[in-house]
Amino acid sequence: MSNFVSIAIENGVAVVTIDNPPVNALSFHVRKPLYEALTALRDDPAAKAIVIACAGRTFIAGADITEFGKPVEQPELRAIIALLETIAKPTIAAIHGTALGGGLELALGCHFRVAERGAKLGLPEVKLGLLPGGGGTVRLPRLVGAAKALGMIVSGTPISAGEAKAAGLVDAVFDSDLLAEAIRFASEMAAGGGPLIPIRDRNDRLAETDIGAFDRQATDLARTARGLEAPLSCAEAVRNAIALPFDEALAAERALFIKLVAGDQSRAQRHLFFAEREAAKVPVKDLQRRRIARIGIIGAGTMGGGIAMAFANGGFPVTLLETSEEALRHGLATIEKNYAVSVSRGSLTEEAKQQRLGLFKGSTDYADLADCDLIIEAVFEDMAVKKEVFGRLDAVARPGAILATNTSYLDVNEIAASTSRPQDVLGMHFFSPANVMKLLEIVRADKTAPDALATVTDLARRIGKVAVVVGVCHGFVGNRMLSARGAENEALLLEGATPSQVDKAFTDFGWPMGPFQMGDLAGLDIGWRNRKARGQTAVIADTLCEQGRFGQKTGRGWYRYEGGSREPVADPEVEALIRAKATERGIAPRAIDAEEIIERTLYPLVNEGAKIIEERIAARASDIDVVWANGYGFPVGKGGPMFWAGLEGAARIVERLGYWHRQTGRATFEPAPVLRRFAETGRWEAL
Ligand code: T1G
């Protein structure tokens, strides 16, 4: 057969094994021999039943995403599934690991699906800006019902083998020895397991559909799309499965897929898929990782507690250190309360909660950190305090332990210099809430050892984080660019825009919320404290803080929040304050449109990213996209600021930045050389 597909027939059962590491993607070099194997077995009397299985760690994880955008090589996946449905002998998919996308669609072409207990099954195409293009939107509803199928396809979230069995997606779940059990199942089916009805011919589950409920569900899901086309197309395709004959619905699915796969949004989301994986790769090859068994966290406040939970969630024992028994007790109580909330919401079992709480050990004595392999401080954001902590760590931590600071902008080189082991020191900048937010900026200091960096980068994935290695500068990548994005915010208000207009320009762009609503959510006092520490002012925000208007937590900030609601309401008092400050500065208000707001906020964002590439603070432009898509809500359908610069047109960005630079003289608008180079070559690269 081929290196990627093999056949073995034993006791009348043919086993077709796919072996295409690392995830058995349905690349062309798999599809062709697979099609040939199934054609041969369809006509081979020695084969009474056919099992499709995979070697390696997982069943087929989908179509080969690297093939999208290139000429399609026959046979396509759809032809293989159509062939499967002509086979008049039992066909069984034996699923382990993850059956995703085209992998699950291939399994839906079989008469039966069996899975190992730990397997997961899903159609995550929507996360790539696509919809299932191998018949999944038409077959899955016929097996599990339209409502369940709609939820799975629009969310893209896989389900467990147990849930799949309960939903009718798999016919049997085995605790061990999947292949032997699958062969046994196939023999039973061949011996007389009842009629072999392809899913395309099963309509009973569809007939049960409550169309009104379905349409309400689809409408609710559409609200979460936030400008993304794929979720809407997914819902339309499943609706077609209900309303149209099978082949018409299949053709409609194909048309929707062709449109999405060629669109900018899917290109952007596929860019982010590979960018996240690229960001996690440390350039130094064959590095021995350090052994990490126990984690030490210094500080049990909001950040320290969240970081501790992130590691406990990943199964790591955690020693949590505080300065006093009272602070420690409060920190541990907060962690327990957070887990209790997850249990009450049904996202965590009581057993899992107890198991995770069992991983915590509290202490107020630094000596108790001596057996920790990675120690992360999350103490007050003050250099003197950080240096004192690292000085004490240097004295108690075992040789080779990695010492990490959670600082969000302080100089990690300076912190490392306060120890005798700078090679073991790096930054791990988590984003609050640290047990939820996926982004982790790993700060590579000048003397950080490559193996320490690689160890922490691998560890990040084990606790479900998206890691990006960044260099040392004020604010690293994310916060530094956030400052550039916000530099014009008050100028826009003084010149005539309202907070609501600015925020609407952002949400219309696809952001979850705009800068002023975000400030009210985070608390305006945080920025106020940082500005005072750095001797900076913000004429309007400082006045709001002086009036005690810190945002949602005080019921008033840029907006009013009535009766404890989180819904922002425009506040005439704030608009009067803005006008008064403008009048003091002789600024006459003028109409400011959304295009100008985007030019004066997001173009400087891109420009700062170009400077970060120039200074080698980020190794790749795509790393910057990963930071912004995972840590700051940049719309995934636009691929991150640097990918979006290509969509927007870099030459236009350069020209408009130049205009605003001439208008205002402000440095954030001066086009960076790397940006100019990108406009000329289409490539982001340091000069
Ligand atoms: N195609 C090509 N490469 C893939 C791939 C895929 N589908 N999935 C993973 N890789 C690469 C990945 O880039 C990385 O490469 C390596 O495999 C390990 O991946 C017609 C249209 C399966 C849960 O969306 O979710 O089917 O960096 O680091 O953490 O309807 O990979 O080593 O060079 O992520 O163990 C739908 C995508 C496709 C699933 C494993 N399927 N993959 O996670 O490993 S579209 C998906 C994943 C489709 C049909 C439609 C995960 C994983 P490198 P990894 P992991």
Side-chain angles (χ1 to χ4, degrees), residues 317-341:
V318 174
T319 299
L320 188 58
L321 186 94
E322 254 296 355
T323 50
S324 71
E325 286 298 338
E326 173 53 31
L328 179 62
R329 216 176 3 261
H330 178 70
L332 288 169
T334 304
I335 289 170
E336 176 154 18
K337 182 167 65 66
N338 290 341
Y339 280 134
V341 167

Side-chain angles (χ1 to χ4, degrees), residues 22-23 25 57 61-66 68 77 98 100-103 105 124-125 128 130-134 257 273-274 277 281 461:
V23 297
R57 59 189 169 115
D64 183 338
I65 307 170
T66 64
F68 295 144
L77 170 60
T98 51
L100 299 175
E105 290 175 302
E125 289 88 338
L128 297 170
L130 299 170
L131 56 70
F257 179 83
F273 174 86
F274 290 113
R277 286 150 182 83
K281 291 174 185 167
R461 298 195 74 184

Side-chain angles (χ1 to χ4, degrees), residues 482 485-490 492-493 498-507 511-524 558-559 561 597-598 601-602:
L482 185 63
R485 189 192 81 173
E488 287 291 296
N489 285 354
E490 292 217 345
L492 285 164
L493 297 182
T498 64
S500 305
Q501 283 174 322
V502 174
D503 284 349
K504 185 176 184 305
F506 272 67
T507 50
W511 295 90
M513 62 176 73
F516 296 108
Q517 199 180 339
M518 177 59 83
D520 277 358
L521 176 65
L524 301 181
W558 291 105
Y559 298 96
Y561 299 87
I597 292 169
I598 294 301
T601 56
L602 301 193

